[in-house]
Amino acid sequence: MGMAVADLLASATYAAVRFYIFWETMLQKSLIDFSAVLPKAELHLHIEGSLEPELMVALAWRNKIEIPFKSVEDVRAAYDFSNLQDFLDIYYQGMGVLQAEEDYYDLTMAYLLRAHRDTVRHVEIFFDPQGHTDRGIPFNVVADGILGALDEAERALGISSKLIMSFLRHLSEEAAFDTLKEAEPYLDRIVGVGLDSSEVGHPPSKFERVFRAAREQGLKIVAHAGEEGPPDYVYEALDLLRIDRLDHGNRSLEDEALVARLAEEQMTLTVCPLSNLKLCVVDDMRAHPLKRMLDLGLRATVNSDDPSYFGGYMNANFAAVINALDLDKDDIRTLAKNSFLGSFLNPEDIAKHIATIDAT
Ligand code: HPA
Ligand code: ZN
């Protein structure tokens, strides 16, 4: 008799657990569907990091460049990183297939078409001029190819865009000054400057002067900080570079006073969940700080960083955090709104996009 009751209880518990899992899965699925159709802006995207293995192999053929991979599968198999530098080594090697203006056009158009499928309505993309000019590709070849695609996609897809030029922080400040000088004919088409590449050992303070010069030319300022580097680097980005937006910023959470300041200033953080997982900034998506950031009042956004290398574009990043974290519908809406609030669009356009989100 006691056995039968125990069996009954066990099977009732089992049924309840099964139902709970089913219910949670349905809720997550409906949140993912919701996030997939919301209008969004992407604010942290390295165009060179959107180079898919198929295009890499095709451009290697077209440009008669040797790459150390036998097949597309071979390229994908190499994308197993344990930190930022591991990734950067492959990322700089990959961009070597980009040579002609049409290569940059094809790369950028492929990304824009893909982003458009994820209902991304506005993009602010980074490019790394030094990753190209240091290989002998003229600045104008790179910029004309990217800008040509941005213009065409605005006409054909209705996706608006801005371009941000990043300085490679493992190189010298003098090299960054040379790049700023080279960019002069394009400054009406470049909204701002950023700072990327190997973070630890290359603090924002190394680039204080060149960022001041950029700011004096009316450029917006963004910087990667607190991805692998300590909270001090975030303070330097705020106080010395005087950033308008913080790229990544994860490690800010280690410093309570810094969190309070970022919340107070309504500083936008361009968070990149799948990137954080691939580069071991987090060990498990369930440990990702995105939900904590929102709860702390930080203006966090979701972005794909280098989608070809990290396994997903905008909507895949949303799906990953919805599956792993306890996000509700308001959180998803907030993330989408934050992406426009944190953009360099004018206030009228921001209001228009936010109205669309409220109506979705
Ligand atoms: N961090 C630093 N540098 C980069 C990244 C990144 O996530 N992606 C491309 N360059
Ligand atoms: Zn980045």
Side-chain angles (χ1 to χ4, degrees):
M1 192 60 190
M3 199 55 208
V5 172
D7 280 353
L8 199 64
L9 270 174
S11 70
T13 309
Y14 177 74
V17 169
R18 282 298 298 265
F19 180 74
Y20 176 77
I21 292 170
F22 165 78
W23 190 244
E24 280 287 290
T25 309
M26 294 310 287
L27 281 179
Q28 277 171 351
K29 193 179 171 313
S30 83
L31 279 182
I32 290 171
D33 290 349
F34 177 63
S35 72
V37 298
L38 273 180
K40 295 166 286 269
E42 175 135 73
L43 306 179
H44 187 151
L45 181 284
H46 303 264
I47 197 61
E48 298 89 345
S50 72
L51 177 61
E52 289 288 343
E54 287 79 2
L55 185 57
M56 188 192 295
V57 168
L59 292 181
W61 283 334
R62 187 154 96 188
N63 293 325
K64 302 182 174 54
I65 290 168
E66 290 273 354
I67 52 171
F69 305 108
K70 284 204 266 324
S71 65
V72 165
E73 292 71 36
D74 226 24
V75 183
R76 282 219 165 79
Y79 294 175
D80 183 23
F81 317 112
S82 50
N83 57 40
L84 175 59
Q85 193 59 50
D86 259 11
F87 154 69
L88 289 170
D89 293 342
I90 293 216
Y91 167 82
Y92 294 122
Q93 182 184 59
M95 68 175 80
V97 300
L98 300 163
Q99 302 270 320
E101 186 179 322
E102 67 175 329
D103 302 343
Y104 292 92
Y105 179 96
D106 292 348
L107 171 72
T108 308
M109 189 54 83
Y111 163 69
L112 292 164
L113 287 164
R114 185 64 192 78
H116 185 252
R117 273 168 48 200
D118 284 4
T119 65
V120 172
R121 301 289 181 238
H122 176 69
V123 299
E124 300 190 353
I125 69 176
F126 298 122
F127 76 121
D128 287 323
Q130 292 156 298
H132 312 288
T133 53
D134 287 2
R135 297 183 285 115
I137 315 292
F139 188 99
N140 66 296
V141 167
V142 181
D144 289 345
I146 296 172
L147 288 165
L150 293 179
D151 290 346
E152 181 60 27
E154 182 140 18
R155 281 192 295 271
L157 305 171
I159 186 166
S160 60
S161 55
K162 298 195 185 284
L163 186 58
I164 301 170
M165 168 174 94
S166 295
F167 300 126
L168 298 182
R169 67 204 302 161
H170 67 275
L171 302 177
S172 67
E173 187 182 44
E174 193 188 352
F177 265 113
D178 292 343
T179 304
L180 184 59
K181 182 89 194 139
E182 266 189 298
E184 250 166 35
Y186 286 88
L187 288 188
D188 60 329
R189 299 292 325 262
I190 293 175
V191 73
V193 291
L195 186 64
D196 64 2
S197 194
S198 322
E199 186 179 7
V200 175
H202 303 284
S205 52
K206 179 177 162 186
F207 296 92
E208 186 179 354
R209 286 153 298 254
V210 73
F211 274 84
R212 189 189 311 130
R215 191 153 25 80
E216 282 165 3
Q217 298 195 57
L219 291 161
K220 298 281 189 192
I221 306 294
V222 301
H224 284 52
E227 180 184 20
E228 287 189 344
D232 269 359
Y233 284 24
V234 178
Y235 279 111
E236 286 190 9
L238 290 167
D239 294 328
L240 304 181
L241 307 190
R242 302 185 38 202
I243 49 170
D244 296 291
R245 195 159 75 204
L246 173 59
D247 295 316
H248 294 296
N250 298 43
R251 290 195 60 194
S252 308
L253 296 190
E254 294 169 23
D255 186 319
E256 231 175 90
L258 179 55
V259 169
R261 176 169 171 192
L262 292 169
E264 164 72 25
E265 292 180 12
Q266 281 297 285
M267 178 62 63
T268 300
L269 277 69
T270 62
V271 182
C272 307
L274 287 173
S275 163
N276 292 159
L277 188 66
K278 270 295 230 185
L279 299 187
C280 306
V281 169
V282 296
D283 297 331
D284 189 302
M285 197 57 92
R286 285 168 296 186
H288 196 279
L290 183 69
K291 169 74 176 166
R292 230 176 331 136
M293 287 169 168
L294 292 176
D295 292 346
L296 287 164
L298 295 172
R299 189 190 271 173
T301 61
V302 171
N303 305 271
S304 67
D305 205 1
D306 301 281
S308 163
Y309 293 90
F310 300 149
Y313 289 78
M314 177 62 87
N315 284 354
N317 275 273
F318 266 97
V321 287
I322 290 168
N323 280 327
L325 307 173
D326 194 22
L327 296 166
D328 60 25
K329 201 166 179 177
D330 280 343
D331 292 326
I332 309 298
R333 255 208 191 90
T334 298
L335 287 165
K337 286 185 186 178
N338 286 352
S339 72
F340 291 105
L341 290 169
S343 75
F344 298 133
L345 285 168
N346 64 47
E348 296 76 45
D349 286 330
I350 292 174
K352 195 186 67 192
H353 286 295
I354 287 185
T356 316
I357 293 170
D358 279 328
T360 304

